[in-house]
Amino acid sequence: MADIMTNQVTGARTTTMDFKTYGPAVALLLLCVIGFMLNPAFLSEGNITNLLTRSAFIGIIAVGATFVITAGGIDLSVGSMAAVIAGVMIIVMNNSIDTFGTGATTVLIGCGFSILLGLGAGWINGMLTTKGKIEAFIVTLGTMGIFRSLVTYFADGGTLSLNHDVRGTYRPVYYDSILGLPFPVWVFIAVSVAGWILLNRTTFGRYCTAIGSNEAVAKYSAIKVDRIKTWTYVLQGLCVAMATIIYVPRLGSASSSTGVLWELEAIAAVIIGGTVLKGGYGRIGGTIIGALILTTIGNILNFTDVISNYLNGTMQGLIIIVAVLLQRSDWSRRASPKN
Amino acid sequence: MQETISNDVSVLAAERVSKSFGNVPVLFSVSFDICAGEVHALIGENGAGKSTLMKILSGFLETTSGAIRLDGQEISLPPDGQAEALGIVLIHQELNLAEQMTVAENIYLGRELTQHGFINSSEMARRASAMFAEFGLDISPSARISDLSIAQKQMVEIVKAISRNARVLIMDEPTAVLTEAETELFFKQVRKLKAGGTAIVFVSHKLHEVKEIADRVTILRDGQWITTKSVEEFTLDSMAQMMVGRELSDFYPPMNEADVDAEIVLETRNLNTKNLKDISFRLRKGEVLGFAGLIGSGRTELFEAICSLEERQGGAVQVSGKQADFRSPAEARDAGIVYLTKDRKAKGLLMEQGMRPNMTLFALPKFTRRFMLDRAAEQTALERGIRRFDIRARNPNCRTRELSGGNQQKLLLAKIMEAEPRIVIIDEPTRGIDVGTKQQIYHFIAALAAEGMSVVVISSEMPEIIGICHRVLVMRSGRITGELTGDAINENEIVRFAAGLKEERAHG
């Protein structure tokens, strides 16, 4: 009978798949229309580039989070990780001035440290989850606290500031444009494309999906489950490091309030984009749109007096809940006709 | 007793029930009734409409047309299992127990006994243990469900149903995962219930069990009612034939003589694991080697240990004369030895994914070109697998869970074969699949062996072990206790080795 029923099931599925695929994009489009109606300046070139640049941090981190979540994990430590990486980067660069001056070398050393720290922090999260056999939620809740307190400690409770001259050298990484697009947007695009290929066109991506769908099946399919899972956290760390590299020149400082709640925004972007929180189904394209949606909401609230800017979190929260509600009704409808 | 059946005595009856999903009809005017103190078996191939009929009888599905009568009165059953209040209980194939709660908590789930507003655990435990005692079951009410064997869980489900005063008990393949001994125990309980006046609907693919336990048998085929007769009027063959609708000749494929001088492709010497003691055996090229024994005798563990799915503690394994200490299942796969799990839903296939990603998952490195997945090659593999193993899906893009059990098993077989192994270990090759597909799988296995592949078949079904294996090793409590070849392979001998009535020291 399952065979006979396939037709009907597929019929329902085509429409829901379409909704699933295009839903977030439609929502973003709708937001843009609303933004434009409230204030035509919303669609000005300046605002659009601003919006894209601001989306880049969360977007890049969220691309990494898509892999972790697709493989059935979760990483709560990304916000604190960004903060501690930013802090250490600034300390390293400030201390390199005596040896290497205030030029590009110092900045590159800082960036190199950032990448190493990101990879290392991700590796620790991954190993504790796989070899340590601790729930990812617990592991990253722990490292979240550790990273946050470390940056507070490094900054001695205050703010770590980058040397003024180095800041001058580093500044273009956030503020300059190539071909009309700011540099962070280019990084965002590059990370997105690489992420999309990795998830959809390589064995690694397929293995992430398989592990998130059913770890036992993955194990019995000769997949090195622990190794792949660890790699997702390392990849997440790398993404955090890259986001930090383009974030530091924006303010040139780091403090205990750097990157607060980024983990939630990143996870929200992933979920809004249609990736399933329990794993097994991931969409990079959706994640990117999710990140854009989150930034757009904040941006629109800045543009209008209808809703207080302080309600930004409320709007984001509502969007997340609605997105998941839509996702769930969709899943249960697909799951119910079972013989 | 059967002669007196009419609507007056049937507890629950479906009259000319039809059911369509959307515009796809799956049941065509089927009538079915069940009397107090009767076991009524419902049989048919996968996809014949058994599950749909059971769900209609228990209120989980509504009919498209036709009537349901309870005690002769036409009734519309409440949905979502609320029919339990009317005494109609459906026990699903996938047991619905809360794994982390205790036996007593599960039995009283949703109607906990309370005293002054607090849960009265001791009273629940006392009553549960009284019920178990009545059935002669040795299950502690304070045990966690996750610590019980599948057979015990099944018993808990039944006791739970009885404790809710079930008058009609509908059981979907309750014996599919039970050993023969467990099945006997289970049937003892069923007979007790029957004597107590419970009406029982029993669904099974195991026809000899139907013959043993049922009073009446109803056969469905392609959603049509074929016949309802007293069990005495059937033979095993006639049941199988009416289910399939054609002659089942050559149920088992002709067996090629095994070449006793063929090279040895797999050999273990004194292999040990947590539960295995000194396992030594040899497998030859082109051989179909059966592993018989009770569930829990260590057959699965043995081969999982060889393929590095399970930890090994000493001993030697050689594949084609070379030391084979695989550190991962991937290494075993690359050395040409693959294990096909008996648990296709939990360990074998990604149920929420389509057929293509499942088909290529096991041998995925083979499907890469310049670090990218070669989707064209994947598509070719899917088409090849569908053709080779006759996988039938209405739509090649459907999700795996929408396939029937038999087609899932064929997909799993195709998936494993994508790795082009030389040695394939198939654990319970035909669990929970219909007669027609069973026959196909036996022919596939014979064909693989004829091509020079070595096949290990782990099975708890005696007839298939006897029907397809050149040689049989019997295991008991983590040891190989006997070896049978040729005409010596018979049920009697296997049971004696498996039950420990007989044991030989030298084997291999």
Side-chain angles (χ1 to χ4, degrees):
Chain A
M1 182 187 329
D3 289 359
I4 304 171
M5 278 166 52
T6 314
N7 264 350
Q8 180 238 347
V9 173
T10 324
R13 182 148 139 229
T14 332
T15 48
T16 50
M17 278 308 272
D18 283 348
F19 176 77
K20 242 182 136 78
T21 317
Y22 300 120
V26 171
L28 179 60
L29 214 67
L30 222 64
L31 274 176
C32 290
V33 171
I34 293 171
F36 181 73
M37 288 195 310
L38 289 173
N39 188 340
F42 173 81
L43 284 184
S44 68
E45 195 194 328
N47 189 51
I48 295 283
T49 40
N50 174 34
L51 212 153
L52 288 173
T53 316
R54 295 222 165 190
S55 308
F57 311 122
I58 293 304
I60 292 169
I61 293 174
V63 168
T66 308
F67 286 91
V68 173
I69 292 174
T70 300
I74 189 93
D75 191 343
L76 299 174
S77 71
V78 292
S80 309
M81 196 193 291
V84 77
I85 291 174
V88 174
M89 252 180 105
I90 289 170
I91 293 171
V92 167
M93 285 191 282
N94 284 345
N95 285 310
S96 303
I97 296 171
D98 291 342
T99 328
F100 300 103
T102 60
T105 317
T106 297
V107 172
L108 283 176
I109 288 173
C111 294
F113 254 88
S114 167
I115 300 284
L116 287 179
L117 285 170
L119 295 176
W123 186 78
I124 289 171
N125 279 339
M127 290 309 271
L128 286 172
T129 309
T130 54
K131 298 294 174 203
K133 299 199 189 308
I134 310 171
E135 292 271 348
F137 189 93
I138 307 293
V139 169
T140 58
L141 192 64
T143 50
M144 172 170 100
I146 294 168
F147 294 151
R148 181 63 61 196
S149 87
L150 280 179
V151 71
T152 314
Y153 172 75
F154 292 146
D156 212 5
T159 303
L160 286 159
S161 292
L162 186 57
N163 172 286
H164 187 265
D165 295 328
V166 179
R167 203 182 291 187
T169 315
Y170 199 174
R171 201 174 179 279
V173 171
Y174 182 80
Y175 290 99
D176 272 17
S177 295
I178 306 166
L179 300 173
L181 277 182
F183 187 70
V185 178
W186 284 110
V187 177
F188 186 20
I189 292 172
V191 168
S192 304
V193 170
W196 189 88
I197 291 173
L198 199 57
L199 186 61
N200 295 298
R201 290 283 184 269
T202 68
T203 48
F204 176 75
R206 186 69 64 79
Y207 286 166
C208 288
T209 312
I211 292 169
S213 299
N214 186 330
E215 225 176 286
V217 171
K219 178 184 162 196
Y220 279 81
S221 300
I223 296 169
K224 288 168 182 153
V225 175
D226 283 355
R227 189 177 299 178
I228 300 289
K229 276 168 78 181
T230 305
W231 269 109
T232 63
Y233 290 96
V234 172
L235 203 62
Q236 172 73 87
L238 179 66
C239 287
V240 172
M242 284 193 287
T244 311
I245 288 173
I246 55 170
Y247 175 77
V248 168
R250 181 177 164 210
L251 298 174
S253 66
S255 69
S256 58
S257 61
T258 301
V260 168
L261 291 185
W262 278 12
E263 58 282 336
L264 292 188
E265 285 197 35
I267 293 167
V270 173
I271 300 308
I272 292 171
T275 296
V276 178
L277 187 57
K278 68 181 163 62
Y281 180 72
R283 292 184 56 215
I284 295 287
T287 296
I288 292 155
I289 290 174
L292 291 173
I293 288 178
L294 287 177
T295 324
T296 308
I297 296 168
N299 187 267
I300 289 175
L301 295 186
N302 273 334
F303 262 86
T304 162
D305 298 326
V306 182
I307 304 172
S308 162
N309 195 20
Y310 295 132
L311 286 176
N312 187 6
T314 306
M315 297 310 291
Q316 291 189 346
L318 283 174
I319 295 262
I320 295 164
I321 292 167
V322 168
V324 173
L325 266 178
L326 290 174
Q327 228 182 60
R328 195 188 52 192
S329 64
D330 177 65
W331 276 101
S332 64
R333 198 178 328 143
R334 288 218 272 152
S336 59
K338 190 205 155 209
N339 184 9
Chain B
M1 180 174 95
Q2 275 75 24
E3 285 71 39
T4 62
I5 289 162
S6 72
N7 263 343
D8 300 331
V9 287
S10 66
V11 184
L12 184 65
E15 278 177 8
R16 292 189 302 282
V17 164
S18 296
K19 175 72 186 171
S20 304
F21 291 106
N23 48 16
V24 184
V26 292
L27 274 188
F28 303 87
S29 193
V30 170
S31 295
F32 184 88
D33 69 320
I34 174 74
C35 307
E38 177 198 42
V39 176
H40 193 156
L42 180 61
I43 61 176
E45 290 193 279
N46 288 327
K50 305 182 301 278
S51 299
T52 309
L53 181 56
M54 280 187 294
K55 283 177 186 161
I56 286 174
L57 286 171
S58 51
F60 284 89
L61 285 175
E62 281 179 61
T63 58
T64 308
S65 69
I68 300 293
R69 287 182 188 276
L70 184 63
D71 298 321
Q73 299 297 310
E74 188 163 339
I75 187 174
S76 139
L77 294 172
D80 299 331
Q82 293 167 44
E84 283 192 11
L86 300 170
I88 304 170
V89 178
L90 171 66
I91 298 184
H92 297 266
Q93 203 177 346
E94 294 86 15
L95 302 174
N96 282 330
L97 295 170
E99 289 277 323
Q100 293 306 321
M101 293 171 79
T102 67
V103 169
E105 284 167 348
N106 265 284
I107 288 176
Y108 286 99
L109 197 59
R111 37 165 208 144
E112 284 77 5
L113 303 175
T114 55
Q115 196 175 25
H116 316 304
F118 291 99
I119 287 180
N120 189 345
S121 305
S122 54
E123 178 64 14
M124 295 198 313
R126 200 188 59 74
R127 290 200 199 171
S129 107
M131 279 187 277
F132 286 125
E134 195 182 320
F135 279 101
L137 294 168
D138 182 27
I139 299 174
S140 159
S142 58
R144 252 181 230 294
I145 295 293
S146 54
D147 294 334
L148 300 184
S149 73
I150 295 177
Q152 287 174 316
K153 291 181 191 175
Q154 191 99 50
M155 300 302 176
V156 173
E157 275 275 21
I158 291 166
V159 169
K160 180 176 162 187
I162 302 306
S163 75
R164 290 173 193 222
N165 301 319
R167 300 167 57 211
V168 181
L169 199 53
I170 304 170
M171 295 187 284
D172 190 358
E173 288 198 57
T175 59
V177 289
L178 301 189
T179 61
E180 306 217 344
E182 289 169 338
T183 303
E184 269 317 308
L185 185 70
F186 170 71
F187 281 172
K188 231 171 83 189
Q189 310 304 334
V190 171
R191 289 194 189 96
K192 272 192 199 164
L193 290 176
K194 194 174 113 173
T198 310
I200 297 164
V201 179
F202 175 72
V203 173
S204 177
H205 282 302
K206 299 179 180 171
L207 299 181
H208 63 275
E209 292 180 3
V210 169
K211 190 85 182 143
E212 182 184 340
I213 193 79
D215 298 307
R216 279 194 298 161
V217 178
T218 290
I219 297 177
L220 295 183
R221 188 199 311 147
D222 298 330
Q224 313 261 10
W225 175 86
I226 301 299
T227 186
T228 301
K229 280 197 277 195
S230 155
V231 75
E232 289 86 29
E233 297 176 47
F234 285 104
T235 63
L236 291 180
D237 281 340
S238 67
M239 273 195 267
Q241 265 171 35
M242 292 183 97
M243 274 168 64
V244 182
R246 59 186 149 84
E247 288 277 332
L248 273 174
S249 58
D250 303 324
F251 191 66
Y252 294 106
M255 215 184 292
N256 289 347
E257 277 308 303
D259 182 355
V260 288
D261 296 323
E263 62 173 301
I264 291 165
V265 290
L266 175 66
E267 178 171 14
T268 71
R269 271 194 302 267
N270 301 323
L271 182 74
N272 285 288
T273 73
K274 206 168 90 218
N275 301 311
L276 299 182
K277 282 177 285 296
D278 293 334
I279 300 286
S280 302
F281 74 93
R282 288 168 169 178
L283 173 68
R284 291 180 188 278
K285 188 173 187 310
E287 184 179 33
V288 181
L289 174 61
F291 267 78
L294 303 177
I295 289 178
S297 58
R299 298 165 299 168
T300 297
E301 189 171 329
L302 167 60
F303 288 97
E304 292 199 343
I306 291 174
C307 292
S308 181
L309 286 155
E310 184 75 47
E311 210 156 314
R312 243 169 75 183
Q313 298 168 346
V317 178
Q318 290 192 332
V319 172
S320 297
K322 278 202 292 269
Q323 199 67 19
D325 301 319
F326 304 123
R327 280 164 302 169
S328 68
E331 279 188 19
R333 174 197 63 198
D334 296 341
I337 172 165
V338 299
Y339 168 78
L340 194 153
T341 175
K342 62 186 161 191
D343 194 349
R344 63 176 170 263
K345 282 187 179 147
K347 294 173 179 170
L349 296 168
L350 300 171
M351 303 309 277
E352 300 301 328
Q353 307 258 348
M355 291 202 288
R356 190 173 65 183
N358 271 300
M359 181 74 82
T360 57
L361 192 62
F362 186 64
L364 202 58
K366 209 179 84 178
F367 294 95
T368 51
R369 220 172 41 183
R370 278 176 267 126
F371 302 108
M372 295 285 184
L373 286 175
D374 185 346
R375 288 152 77 92
E378 281 193 88
Q379 187 60 34
T380 317
L382 176 62
E383 284 160 14
R384 185 173 57 220
I386 286 177
R387 225 175 320 115
R388 183 176 178 198
F389 293 100
D390 188 34
I391 301 167
R392 290 181 206 167
R394 262 299 159 89
N395 172 350
N397 298 320
C398 70
R399 285 183 307 153
T400 305
R401 70 145 69 210
E402 291 159 18
L403 297 175
S404 69
N407 282 310
Q408 286 174 359
Q409 187 69 11
K410 291 190 220 168
L411 176 63
L412 182 56
L413 193 56
K415 163 187 167 177
I416 295 294
M417 299 317 290
E418 273 306 317
E420 296 171 3
R422 289 176 297 135
I423 302 165
V424 53
I425 299 136
I426 311 184
D427 202 347
E428 302 290 357
T430 63
R431 170 176 287 177
I433 65 182
D434 61 74
V435 192
T437 312
K438 266 188 179 181
Q439 184 189 16
Q440 276 187 312
I441 297 223
Y442 297 145
H443 283 262
F444 290 141
I445 290 173
L448 295 177
E451 287 166 22
M453 206 175 290
S454 307
V455 185
V456 171
V457 175
I458 303 173
S459 176
S460 303
E461 286 190 38
M462 298 281 184
E464 78 183 17
I465 284 270
I466 297 163
I468 61 175
C469 296
H470 294 122
R471 186 158 64 98
V472 176
L473 296 175
V474 188
M475 285 186 72
R476 193 179 95 82
S477 311
R479 291 214 310 262
I480 294 178
T481 52
E483 177 179 4
L484 300 165
T485 47
D487 295 339
I489 304 177
N490 61 52
E491 206 154 334
N492 199 6
E493 284 294 296
I494 294 175
V495 168
R496 289 173 57 144
F497 281 125
L501 302 175
K502 194 172 165 187
E503 182 163 350
E504 56 188 38
R505 296 304 317 158
H507 47 69

